[in-house]
């Protein structure tokens, strides 16, 4: 109104060919607004070069706009909301992926973050790819954990689970960017093997070991079904005690 332009109309500039939405003076493409005149409706000028369009009175000119101020304010609010959502989401993703030990996220948490990115159409290809890779790695590791624990039930001695297998797999679990429930199976089995080793070492250190104690350890080993290096020593001592008991009869 201050410029003297009183006419206005909405114009979808993005639908016009480039040569029809160029400023007649500076050739800038008009995206949100432009000025035309009744004398030359096909001629357009940007807001900086209104006087260059023609010599007609300003009252003959028309403001062509893409959005109203109300629409622009609404778009601004949506953009700010979206930017805030992205900033919050990306900070949470970075925090969780940088976490260590027990502070690492679960696979379910990572899947939820990936779902949020998809549903909110957040443009973060690097972070979403990192989340997806972490999920895929965790799922492979979870499947391997189940196979590892179940392999101790295999009847083929060549594939018998060893303590070294368990310890290597635990290190692999520790390197994962997230926690998996299946890891508890391996951790529990490893804990039981370590406790068994303590009892085993105590029995082997005893100068007068009990036959019953050694037999119980061997039975426990059968339950674990994990190859423990010192186990052969227990078997030898038990056999020696068995022979000694037979001689005494």
């Amino acid at each position: 109104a201050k410029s003297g332009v009183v006419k206005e109309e909405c114009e979808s500039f993005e639908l016009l060919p480039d040569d029809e939405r160029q400023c007649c003076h500076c050739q800038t493409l008009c995206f949100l607004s432009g000025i035309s005149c009744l004398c030359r409706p096909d001629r357009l000028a940007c807001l900086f070069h209104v006087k260059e369009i023609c010599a007609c009175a300003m009252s003959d000119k028309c403001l062509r706009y893409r959005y109203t101020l109300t629409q622009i304010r609404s778009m601004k609010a949506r953009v700010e909301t979206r930017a805030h959502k992205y900033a919050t989401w990306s900070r949470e993703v970075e925090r969780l992926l940088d976490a260590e030990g027990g502070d690492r996220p679960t696979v379910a948490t990572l899947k939820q973050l990936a779902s949020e990115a998809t549903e909110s159409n957040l443009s973060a290809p690097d972070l979403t790819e990192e989340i997806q890779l972490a999920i895929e790695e965790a799922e492979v590791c979870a499947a391997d954990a189940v196979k590892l624990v179940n392999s101790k039930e295999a009847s083929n001695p060549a594939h018998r689970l060893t303590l070294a297998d368990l310890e290597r797999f635990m290190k692999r679990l520790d390197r994962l960017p997230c926690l998996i429930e299946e890891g508890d199976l391996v951790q529990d089995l490893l804990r039981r093997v370590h406790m068994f080793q303590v009892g085993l070492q105590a029995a082997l250190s005893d100068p007068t070991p009990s036959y019953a104690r050694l037999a119980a350890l061997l039975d426990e080993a059968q339950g674990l079904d994990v190859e423990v290096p010192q186990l052969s020593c227990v078997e030898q001592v038990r056999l020696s005690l068995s022979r000694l008991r037979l001689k005494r009869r």
Side-chain angles (χ1 to χ4, degrees), residues 11 13 29-34 64-67 72 75:
E11 180 70 75
F13 289 98
L29 288 177
C30 297
F31 292 96
L32 297 178
S33 61
R64 294 158 67 179
Y65 62 89
R66 180 63 185 90
Y67 301 106
I72 290 175
M75 284 190 291

Side-chain angles (χ1 to χ4, degrees), residues 20-163:
E20 292 183 20
R21 57 180 178 142
Q22 277 186 329
C23 172
C24 60
H25 183 75
C26 66
Q27 280 72 55
T28 296
L29 288 177
C30 297
F31 292 96
L32 297 178
S33 61
I35 298 290
S36 62
C37 185
L38 294 176
C39 72
R40 291 283 302 276
D42 60 333
R43 190 174 171 86
L44 194 67
C46 68
L47 299 185
F48 292 103
H49 300 112
V50 177
K51 295 180 180 180
E52 308 298 332
I53 192 170
C54 64
C56 298
M58 296 300 287
S59 59
D60 291 335
K61 294 177 172 57
C62 177
L63 170 66
R64 294 158 67 179
Y65 62 89
R66 180 63 185 90
Y67 301 106
T68 64
L69 288 177
T70 300
Q71 289 173 321
I72 290 175
R73 292 190 188 101
S74 177
M75 284 190 291
K76 178 176 177 290
R78 290 198 301 271
V79 169
E80 288 175 344
T81 299
R82 184 179 175 82
H84 176 72
K85 180 179 289 187
Y86 172 78
T88 302
W89 178 86
S90 61
R91 281 196 300 268
E92 181 66 3
V93 170
E94 290 171 353
R95 183 186 71 81
L96 291 175
L97 290 179
D98 289 340
E100 298 179 352
D103 294 330
R104 289 173 296 169
T106 62
V107 178
T109 298
L110 292 183
K111 286 184 176 180
Q112 178 62 33
L113 288 169
S115 177
E116 287 177 15
T118 301
E119 292 172 0
S120 301
N121 197 24
L122 299 177
S123 180
D126 291 342
L127 285 178
T128 50
E129 182 180 4
E130 194 171 352
I131 292 174
Q132 192 57 43
L133 288 174
I135 291 172
E136 290 174 2
E137 184 181 2
E139 289 179 339
V140 169
C141 206
D144 290 345
V146 174
K147 289 179 183 177
L148 188 71
V149 173
N150 290 341
S151 70
K152 69 186 183 67
E153 300 172 0
S155 58
N156 189 348
H159 297 93
R160 191 176 185 186
L161 186 63
T162 67
L163 178 59

